[in-house]
Structures are given as structure tokens and as C-alpha cells.
Amino acid sequence: MLHPRARTMLVLSIPALIIGILSSLVLIVVMKIAGALQEYLWATLPMEQGYDPHSPFWILLILTLTGVAVGLVIRFLPGHGGPDPATEPLIGAPVPAMAIPGLIMALVIGLAGGVSLGPEHPIMAVNIALAVALGARLLPKVSPLDWTILAAAGTIGALFGTPVAAALIFSQTLGGNNEVPLWDRLFAPLMAASAGALTTSIFFHPHFALPVANYPEMHIEDLFIGAVVTAIAIAMGMVGVWCLPRLHRLMHQLKQPVLILGVGGFLLGLLGIIGGEITLFKGLDEMRQLAVSGFSVSSLLLFAVVKLAALVVAAASGFRGGRIFPAVFVGVALGMMLHQHVEAVPAAITLSCAVLGLVLVVTRDGWLSLFMAMAVVPDVKLLPLLCIVMLPAWLLLAGKPLMMAGRSNH
């Protein structure tokens, strides 16, 4: 009944389902542990000790100690906590299995301690390492690259609660072989991404959507406004791109991971004092506060600048974490600020275009940037505007360096 091509896809579908489910479970367990530790560090412990968790002293203390703790993990555990995310793309080569415990510990401590990075890069590295190590034993005929693709797809599906982002990302990375149709190559990754997304949805729903007024309909002037907002976001993001490799080199002249990350944690504590608790952590929960709390233009600008600075400091110091989630927070703060500054411009335009610009700078991935913009403002009437605005934005960024350090990154 089935064509040989269909049988080939079917053979990979079972491993894809298993990897998708396991990728999601790893994410869920890590996030639950980090959430429990965060609750202890920022609520239970200060109450027991008689401190205000929102006080400058507590913010500075916890973030400095977080840096020292992550530094100890990287210094003394096998594998040194995995690769430095500041020097790696989101989907990289498999790390040695011995690095997995240190990588998970460094991620959990950083997430709980308030570091301005998301979970995406370390979770991706852990899931790829597990899939390649286990896959090589169970199905040695399947290449490490195939296991890497399945684990990456499952992780992306789990992170965003939908297989759409994985489909978009892999439609460009898997599109090079004319002999095999694209959807044949997408079949197993989409299976993994769907399994990851469905498993995540059983335990919690990642909510990116913000409560903003619906976008009525597109006008020609909206294209110009959207392009200007996106250009402002790109300009802001490129400041971070310029700073990251320079600060990374400066920080790593200290040589010792405990010292580098201790200093990084102290700097993050100072930024947390300036920006307040809303600028701490990965930014997903905090960005919803921005949309409903009625902050002033100056406060929103402060949050955007401080969060971008915290993202650069955290990445340059070697904390284990990803840059997408805090970049979305910066985009939301910038978008809300521009809407408050010129209220005649719909918040749907300023928010979606600012998120589009910031994520584009950080990931240099057009599909993922469009996806994140639509996830934050899920209004299908915005899609034509965002697709058009993407074109001048892509021209602006063509050939520009990536937000990475320690290697030639054009």
C-alpha cells in the first residue's frame, strides 16, 4: 500500500515521537525545578531571613551569588557546563554526554537566580546530546545529524507550545536536496515538534500573546510606520550586537570562571536595582506585566535599555541561557513605549514590529522573527504588514555581524 518513500518516513516517525516527548519532558522538569528554586530564593528565603526580596540589597546579593554558583559549576563539573552560548548558534553540534549534568545545573541556577537569559540554548544542547547518545546505541544506522534535527525540532515545539516554529525554521535549513521533496524531509521533524508541543500543553501552555486592541485593517501609512518601528528596534539591537563580543573579551581576561561569573552576577544585580525586578529573569512572565500595568514612556524606555544591557552582560559573562526570550521582552518594552509616545499608532503595530526587529537581530532568522511577532500579537490581519516590513529590515541586516562572540560571525 505504501510507497518506499512513505515507509522511510514511517520508520523514523516512532523515534521522532519518542524524542519529541522526551525533549518536552526535559524542558518541563528543568523549568519546574528552576521555578521551585526561584520561589525559594525570591520569596521563602528572604521572608525567613527578614529581608525585603524587592530591596536593592537582596537583588544584588542573589544575583552575585548566582554568578558565583554558576562559575563553580562551570569550573569544577565535568564538561565545564557545556559550550559558552555566546559563541554558539541555537542549534549546534552535540556536546559530550558528561557535560549534561553541569549544563542543567548551570541553567537551573541561572533561571532561578534572575539572570536575563531564556532556557532555549541549554535545553536544546541537552536534548541534542541525549538524542545523539541514545540514538547511536539504539539505532546506529541513523546518522547523528538526523538525531540532532529531531531533537532540535522537538525542543522548538516544546518551547513554543506549537510545531509551527519548527516547521518554519526547518523549511529553510532542510531545503537543499532536489531529489527528496521538502515535506518528506520535514515529516519526521514535524512529528517530533508536534509531540513536543502536545506534551508541553499537557502540563502548561506557553503564553506569548499580549492583551492589545485588535488591528482594524492595513493602511499604506501603516507600512511606513511599521518599517520605522522595526528600524528603531534593529538599531537598538545592533548596539547589543556591537557590545557583546567586546564585553565578552573584556570579561574573559579575568580567566577564572568563578571570578568572571561573579563579576557578571554583580553587574546584573546593579542593573536589576536600576530597572527593578521586572527586568530580571527570562522575561516571558514579566513582559505581560508591561502590557497591563500602564507604565510611563520613560519607565518603558528604561526597562528596554536595562533588559538589553542585562542580556549582553549575562551572555558575555558565560551564563548558560538563550537570547530569544529576553529579546522579546526588549521588543515588547520598546513597542509599548513607542505606542505610549504616539498613541495614534496602534499598539498592535508597534509591539509586533518591535518584536520582529529585535528577534531578527538576535536570531537572524526571518521565519522565527515573523513567528514571534505573530505569537505576541496573534492577529492574522497583521501578517501582510509584517511580511512587507520584513523586507527592508532584512536589507538593513544583510552582511551585519550576529549577536555572538569569540568567532568570525558575519
Side-chain angles (χ1 to χ4, degrees):
M1 286 178 64
L2 290 175
H3 190 276
R5 271 173 40 199
R7 286 201 292 272
T8 302
M9 288 184 272
L10 204 56
V11 166
L12 266 180
S13 63
I14 300 301
L17 278 172
I18 294 168
I19 286 175
I21 292 167
L22 291 177
S23 296
S24 177
L25 291 175
V26 170
L27 172 68
I28 289 162
V29 170
V30 168
M31 296 304 288
K32 293 287 186 187
I33 295 170
L37 182 57
Q38 179 181 324
E39 179 72 16
Y40 177 74
L41 292 176
W42 295 94
T44 308
L45 184 61
M47 281 178 58
E48 288 176 353
Q49 302 299 321
Y51 289 108
D52 177 7
H54 308 293
S55 68
F57 166 76
W58 194 257
I59 291 173
L60 193 63
L61 176 69
I62 292 298
L63 277 156
T64 304
L65 291 178
T66 296
V68 171
V70 173
L72 289 169
V73 168
I74 291 170
R75 172 69 180 83
F76 292 108
L77 260 67
H80 305 295
D84 181 353
T87 65
E88 296 285 326
L90 178 61
I91 302 172
V95 301
M98 67 174 182
I100 292 174
L103 186 52
I104 291 175
M105 281 183 65
L107 172 62
V108 167
I109 294 167
L111 288 174
V115 174
S116 290
L117 291 173
E120 61 274 19
H121 186 281
I123 288 291
M124 186 74 74
V126 167
N127 284 338
I128 288 172
L130 287 172
V132 170
L134 296 174
R137 292 189 174 190
L138 300 176
L139 291 171
K141 289 184 179 179
V142 179
S143 73
L145 178 60
D146 287 329
W147 293 122
T148 297
I149 290 168
L150 292 179
T155 306
I156 292 167
L159 279 165
F160 299 114
T162 169
V164 174
L168 293 172
I169 291 169
F170 284 104
S171 68
Q172 62 188 13
T173 57
L174 299 178
N177 187 346
N178 293 327
E179 295 178 9
V180 182
L182 173 63
W183 278 91
D184 280 24
R185 279 169 281 143
L186 273 179
F187 186 87
L190 262 181
M191 185 80 77
S194 301
L198 289 170
T199 305
T200 296
S201 69
I202 294 170
F203 296 91
F204 63 89
H205 295 275
H207 286 300
F208 294 92
L210 297 180
V212 295
N214 287 336
Y215 179 57
E217 58 181 320
M218 191 169 76
H219 300 95
I220 294 298
E221 60 267 26
D222 291 347
L223 296 175
F224 174 74
I225 293 166
V228 170
V229 171
T230 308
I232 292 169
I234 287 173
M236 187 174 186
M238 288 306 291
V239 173
V241 171
W242 186 88
C243 291
L244 176 58
R246 289 159 178 81
L247 185 59
H248 189 272
R249 275 198 302 272
L250 183 65
M251 295 288 285
H252 282 73
Q253 286 177 3
L254 297 172
K255 305 294 184 188
Q256 294 297 325
V258 179
L259 189 55
I260 296 168
L261 284 140
V263 170
F266 179 78
L267 293 174
L268 289 175
L270 294 178
L271 288 168
I273 292 168
I274 295 167
E277 201 169 329
I278 197 168
T279 60
L280 303 180
F281 307 104
K282 64 181 180 291
L284 184 57
D285 298 325
E286 291 73 22
M287 76 182 192
R288 282 196 284 277
Q289 296 177 39
L290 295 177
V292 299
S293 299
F295 290 108
S296 66
V297 170
S298 57
S299 294
L300 289 165
L301 180 59
L302 176 70
F303 296 154
V305 171
V306 167
K307 190 68 172 181
L308 182 61
L311 164 58
V312 170
V313 169
S317 305
F319 283 99
R320 289 349 188 206
R323 301 183 282 281
I324 297 173
F325 286 81
V328 172
F329 176 97
V330 176
V332 169
L334 181 63
M336 288 300 299
M337 186 273 289
L338 292 170
H339 170 65
Q340 297 271 38
H341 186 58
V342 186
E343 291 191 4
V345 179
I349 292 179
T350 59
L351 279 169
S352 60
C353 290
V355 169
L356 177 79
L358 258 303
V359 177
L360 197 57
V361 168
V362 169
T363 64
R364 217 54 57 88
D365 187 312
W367 286 125
L368 184 56
S369 305
L370 274 173
F371 170 80
M372 292 308 304
M374 287 297 295
V376 171
V377 188
D379 190 336
V380 74
K381 292 193 290 295
L382 277 170
L383 189 55
L385 181 144
L386 291 171
C387 288
I388 295 168
V389 164
M390 170 71 78
L391 302 176
W394 194 259
L395 283 178
L396 279 175
L397 287 169
K400 298 291 191 297
L402 307 178
M403 188 177 264
M404 290 173 67
R407 59 168 64 184
S408 175
N409 58 6
H410 285 270

